[in-house]
Amino acid sequence: MTLRAILAGTGSALPRTRVSNAELATRVDTSDEWIVERTGIRFRHIAEPDETTATLGADAAKQALAAAGLEPADIGLIIVATATPDNTFPASATKVQAILGAPDCIAFDVAAVCSGFLYAVSVADSMLRTGAAKHALVIGSETFSRILDWEDRTTCVLFGDGAGAAVLSAKDVDDDQGILATRLHAEGQYCDMLYVDGGPSTTGTVGHVRMQGREVFRHAVTNLASVLGEVMADVGLSADQIDWVVPHQANKRIIDATAKKLGLPAERVVLTVDQHANTSAASVPLALDLAVRDGRIKRGDLVVLEAMGGGFTWGAAVLRV
Ligand code: ACO
């Protein structure tokens, strides 16, 4: 028997308001054609004032708990991956804990921007396997609309708000179920290529997203293809044994180029960027939940998660569902 973190349930939440490219084009100098051609994005959800990173995260968490057949009191660890916390402190994870009514447990945030969910999964996997908790809620939740410069058309058309959650449970298994490998990377010398131009210890403001789009694109394809190769080598499996890839949903061209580099057919890649745009740390768990709920991802499938974001940070995970 081997102690592994298994995927026990997933959930997601989206803000009530959905904005099409055409609607955006009435406020920003852009067009549906430009956005679809360069990114594949058609819609994004934008949070209303009463919808925050913590409330969206808690809504996604409730669904994931229900899917896992667990109560908030069963959870020993809550990790929220976010770059847009409700407050500088406390951690959004503690706010989610309060909304859920979960009693004393471990709760903290992880900041790795778009790859935050991969970082959070990797940390939870380690903590579950070393006995820190029996069940963990791993959440990616973002309200990026609050840190966008709505005058900057090169960035504001790319992002949306939302949350996704997964319950990971420690379980003794005698097969290859659960998280089989994770890999994380960071190269801080690229921190000026995708960043927010404010923060508590510099400007004392929240700031806005700034990005060198072409450089990000180039690094994303190289890094994601490379880390996918690493995790597959870790588990001794080849790309043709993958049932589903759930990539970070930044841009359809990045997803297509990465899949092509690995020889993965498009039919095995979960794509939601057209509906949600880039929801940063929420994008992978949101896409995972949709594919689980619509029956594409089934028990026994080999699933690979991958993401890259500001820092640069990037990572991947392989799991047998
Ligand atoms: N609408 C219309 N025109 C636009 C827009 C817009 N929203 N934004 C830029 N343009 C114009 C530019 O002004 C430029 O015009 P010009 O030629 O007259 O100067 C033209 O379009 C081309 O601009 P580029 O920036 O060169 O366009 P590019 O082909 O590089 O596409 C994009 C831009 C889509 C941002 C691309 O670089 C990209 O996808 N990069 C990856 C960035 C990304 O996905 N980041 C997400 C966060 S990181 C992550 O999650 C991995």
Side-chain angles (χ1 to χ4, degrees), residues 30 34 38 114 153 194 211 213-214 216 248 250-251 278 308:
T30 188
W34 191 95
R38 305 282 174 131
C114 299
R153 67 177 182 172
L194 177 53
M211 178 177 74
R214 291 207 164 186
V216 173
H248 171 46
N251 181 316
N278 182 348
M308 138 118 187

Side-chain angles (χ1 to χ4, degrees), residues 237-304:
L237 295 171
S238 56
D240 59 359
Q241 291 170 291
I242 300 173
D243 293 300
W244 290 102
V245 177
V246 185
H248 171 46
Q249 309 285 324
N251 181 316
K252 186 172 183 302
R253 289 191 301 148
I254 294 177
I255 294 171
D256 290 347
T258 308
K260 196 172 163 204
K261 244 184 158 178
L262 290 160
L264 282 163
E267 306 82 68
R268 285 195 266 140
V269 180
V270 177
L271 200 75
T272 58
V273 68
D274 55 334
Q275 299 298 312
H276 304 154
N278 182 348
T279 57
S280 185
S283 95
V284 170
L286 244 172
L288 176 67
D289 181 55
L290 291 197
V292 167
R293 280 176 195 272
D294 69 20
R296 275 178 289 173
I297 295 180
K298 298 179 291 298
R299 280 268 164 254
D301 281 353
L302 190 75
V303 177
V304 179

Side-chain angles (χ1 to χ4, degrees), residues 83 112-115 144 147-148 152 154-156 158-159 187-198 208-217 219-220 223 248 250 254 278 280-281 307-314:
V113 209
C114 299
S115 41
F144 249 60
I147 57 165
L148 294 175
D152 176 11
T154 68
T155 52
C156 74
L158 303 175
F159 296 91
E187 282 188 347
Q189 72 264 35
Y190 299 114
C191 62
D192 292 339
M193 292 198 174
L194 177 53
Y195 67 103
V196 168
D197 62 2
H208 293 117
V209 174
R210 305 292 173 211
M211 178 177 74
Q212 293 181 35
R214 291 207 164 186
E215 284 303 307
V216 173
F217 191 103
H219 283 271
N223 291 342
H248 171 46
I254 294 177
N278 182 348
S280 185
M308 138 118 187
F312 290 133
T313 57
W314 66 103

